[in-house]
Amino acid sequence: MKAIEPHLPVLPVLIPLFGALFSAFFRRGASAWLVALVATWLAAAVSCWLLAKALATGMPISYQLGGWAVPWGIEYRVDVLNGFVGALVTTIGAVIMPYARRSVAHEIDQHVQAWFYTMYLLCMTGLLGITLTGDAFNVFVFLEVSSLSTYVLIAMGRHRRAVLAAYQYLIVGTIGATFYVIGIGLLYLVTGSLNLADISARLATAPPEFARPVVTALGFLTIGICLKLALFPLHVWLPNAYAYAPSVATVFLAATATKVAVYLLLRFFFTVFGAGIGLASVPIPELLFVFSIAAMFIASFSAAFENNAKRMLAYSSIAQIGYITLGIALANQSGLTGSIVHLLNHAIMKATLFMALGAVAFRLGVVQISDLAGLGRKMPVTMATFVVAGLGIIGVPGTAGFISKWHLALGALEKGMWPLVFAIVSSSLIALVYIGRVVEVAYFREPAAAANKAHDPPISMLAPMLLLAAATIWFGLDTRASVGIAAEGAKVLLGGLK
Amino acid sequence: MIPAPAPETLLFLALALPLCCALLLPFFHRSPNLRETVTLTFATLLAFTVWSLVPAILAGARPELSLARFSPGLEIAFKVEPLGMLFALVAGSLWLVNSIYSIGYMRGNDEPRQTTFYVCFAAAIAATMGIAFSKNVISLFLFYEVLTLSTYPLVTHKGTPQAMRAGRVYIGILLGTSILLFLPAIIVTWYFAGTLDFTVGGILAGKTDAGMLALLLALYVFGIGKAALMPFHFWLPAAMVAPTPVSALLHAVAVVKAGVFTVLKVIVYVFGIETLSNSGSADWLVWAAGSTVIIASLVALRQDNLKKRLAYSTISQLSYVVLAAAILTPISAIGAAMHIAAHAVAKITLFFAAGSIYTAAHKTEISELDGIGRRMPWTMTAFAVGALGMIGLPPTAGFFGKWFLLQGAMETGQWMTLCIVLVSTVLNAAYFLPIVFRAFFVAEPAARSQGDGQDGGHGEAPVPIVIALTTTAAATVLLFLFPGVPFALASMMIGR
């Protein structure tokens, strides 16, 4: 243990990377799955250890890759915030794994199953790299690793449109990555550094005539990252990508990919630009407010009118991202706590919902809302987890979703923005409509002929769903861990503003 | 002698028993007799538990229990205080009676999915106990929502399109008002007061101005949709599509009383009677509640469906409680608490009677009830007692609530309130007495009295039903003769 500990910050990236390499050698899906299972659980254990260490030391843990000194070498820099996001990504990734075997075997052709796990692990590598690195260009590299593997994951979907959805995402994702690089280039121009902490320090002392390139960089970076996190109106790629990707890929992407992009946005806004020059002239918070509220309402309405259950949940994700960016716009302790804790809460709830739909797809092969008729009785456990997580999305007290909204609303009050409180609660009500639609169909309609023989999926698929549904309730009642860490993370971010 | 268990233990039991019952019931899915035994056992235990908690509370004990820390400074916690004790007493005791009734009703009508029914019922009672014993607003809100969610499957029990529509209205209004108005009110209270604990004298004194208090009060009383203050009352008539035991215990006692109980608690323990009366922020509430009392009575007058008429009567009677609280005198607050108990036993009797008629004679409309009193003497006598309770005549428990309410109104010289109560009493009589008259004094139509029609030849309802409705009718009278316990608890609430 002592020998590993100094290398802890980089291990969560290396484990899935080597797992991906290793699993690529297998032809059989089951063997590749075993590799992925071991890699994800190992990564999860290491990430949680890393988070615990970051919490215990209270200072960022710095790791110099290959022993090259900062700021020339690549630095991995882990504090409470990215330790938390890393633990979130790996834990969700690991919990999905037992579920994945049957679902992947059912949905993906025999000869590419091993590739699926390779891509899954690569995607995880990319996301963890973005999260844990302290180097702006290294972020770009991992951004591409995660994006390219995501395109492949989506394209593996059964439906022919999956390829189109992947292509659509490829175009948008490439634009996003390009914008990101342009932004980094401008920052490099001003500061001569690629290390995030170093850039931040240099921006603070940069002469005022550099204000224009800095603001331009902020613009490029914001748009580039917001494309990845699907902030309204840059969200158009997301519904199709989620709807046509294989179930397991959807669960993983919905729970983690956008969360990592949100983390990146937080890092740039607060840590890098927090002390920057000339930013008072840019109405970033105002713009974020507008787009967040638009996301909360417009995407929720789109969800309420959607007939494909997976797309419905995808629109719901866009709305929920609106909540997260709303907290970023508030930029105070309560608001940011709400945002960060919602990264976790939304990941849990949305993973549960998509897993439940994946279970339906496993039994029926379709996920139109009308196909769910009568499943309340035919697949009782599956639909019960759906209802629990759905209540979380609505924000019913006693579920995780309520906690996030509570802190966001408190943040709005602290800013004196009263109407926002009502915006937050009233958009929850639209969630009641779209979740309610599914509940009514599932519990009150007679099952169709195809659904008559359906029953709950095997225990390997049920267990992760039940675990996450229980977590939805747990994090709604006992918030010491979740809110505690989120509050610490918010403090770290706000510390960067001074 | 076994030493009496500590009040904390009893509090824990009162919360845990119905929950355990809900968790156990699915295992007895295949043997209905065993399943009903489980329900009855747990209901008996719960009634026993809440009653044994009373002496300790009257002696001044305030047992507490903390479940989870919710957020810094906020926790899911319980604390027994007199008003909650009274509410728990009413709901806990009536669950037992109602379970006996349910057995007769559900079997008599061959209702489907009975296990689901009993499970949701027990869960609803667990939520009710949670509401009654909540230590702070946030815990109360949690159980308030759980109560809504656990009763939704009961409202939609029939599974028909009509039941589904009713379910939509039910969950839409109850969840909608609570999330849209009640929750912001809680957040704002937390923001100003820094605490959400129910405290004697309130927590908002001196924390904000009169205008904000009025706004907050509006958010609370309309946000607590279960109190059925107009215009958020539609869910209650809609919920009548549920099986009658649900209408009886939940939509005459547990759910609606949870609503007015919450309103009362918020007014007494969050705002504080003095804070509100000094600021004058609650004056409008007298009007809102008063007009609900009158309008709902007028609507009730026009209903031919018996359960619908009872539902509108409930809306009207609930606003008595809100009205009594809005007068903001200690004596009227006692009246409000007394009325919660009195209306509960009387209204459950009326619903029991309605269900009894449906089970025995398959009749739902008032116009069909001519002469039914001769076939079902027990049922209709109980109905008459319940009707007297609604009107507020001695010797029924309904008398006290109105008495204290009027006393409070006279103390503060609110003659308008006085008029409202008098007019509505007349209206109560006008929509209940004709039913009693019809049942006993109008002759049965000739076609039916021969006993060869499809619904002819019926007699009294099954025995469990008769036992249940006789018990509650007796309780309506006994509560008039021995009002000691509720009165003592109500007086303790305002610190006398």
Side-chain angles (χ1 to χ4, degrees), chain A residues 34 36 63 104-105 128 136 144 167 194 198 211 219 246 281 312 328 330 346 369 404-405 438 464 468 480 492:
Chain A
L34 202 63
Y63 177 85
V104 168
L128 286 165
E144 286 296 281
Y167 185 71
L194 284 172
D198 197 37
S281 61
M312 179 195 90
I328 299 178
L330 285 170
H346 180 243
I369 291 182
S404 322
K405 283 173 192 171
V438 174
L468 290 183
R480 278 170 299 187
V492 168

Side-chain angles (χ1 to χ4, degrees), chain A residues 377 391 394-399 402-403 405-407 409-410 413-416 418 421-422 425-426 428-429 432 439-440 444 476-480 483, chain B residues 68-72 74 76 113 138 141-142 145 149 152 156 159 164 168 171-172 175-176 179-181 183-184 186-188 190-192 196 212 219:
Chain A
R377 230 152 278 146
L391 292 175
I394 299 168
V396 172
T399 62
F402 175 74
I403 302 298
K405 283 173 192 171
W406 173 269
H407 284 95
L410 216 53
L413 275 185
E414 280 168 15
K415 272 240 152 153
W418 292 81
V421 178
F422 289 95
V425 292
S426 51
S428 315
L429 276 191
L432 176 62
V439 170
E440 281 189 353
F444 294 110
L477 293 177
D478 186 350
T479 61
R480 278 170 299 187
V483 173
Chain B
R69 223 188 83 192
F70 202 53
S71 175
L74 279 181
I76 305 288
R113 297 186 292 283
I138 199 78
F141 183 59
L142 168 69
E145 300 290 50
L149 296 171
Y152 172 76
T156 54
M164 198 169 98
R168 255 185 222 170
I171 204 131
L175 219 52
I179 289 182
L180 216 53
L181 306 171
L183 177 58
I186 296 173
I187 298 172
V188 172
W190 166 254
Y191 177 67
F192 280 125
L196 287 174
M212 182 51 79
L219 286 178

Side-chain angles (χ1 to χ4, degrees), chain B residues 213-233:
Chain B
L213 280 181
L215 176 71
L216 257 183
L217 185 65
L219 286 178
Y220 272 118
V221 294
F222 289 113
I224 301 166
K226 291 196 169 89
L229 202 62
M230 282 183 178
F232 294 117
H233 66 284

Side-chain angles (χ1 to χ4, degrees), chain A residues 351-421:
Chain A
T352 317
L353 289 169
F354 274 121
M355 276 190 186
L357 285 189
V360 173
F362 180 69
R363 287 293 183 217
L364 299 182
V366 280
V367 286
Q368 291 292 319
I369 291 182
S370 54
D371 295 322
L372 302 177
L375 289 186
R377 230 152 278 146
K378 295 290 167 194
M379 302 176 73
V381 182
T382 306
M383 289 319 290
T385 57
F386 188 95
V387 170
V388 168
L391 292 175
I393 294 287
I394 299 168
V396 172
T399 62
F402 175 74
I403 302 298
S404 322
K405 283 173 192 171
W406 173 269
H407 284 95
L408 284 174
L410 216 53
L413 275 185
E414 280 168 15
K415 272 240 152 153
M417 304 176 85
W418 292 81
L420 265 190
V421 178

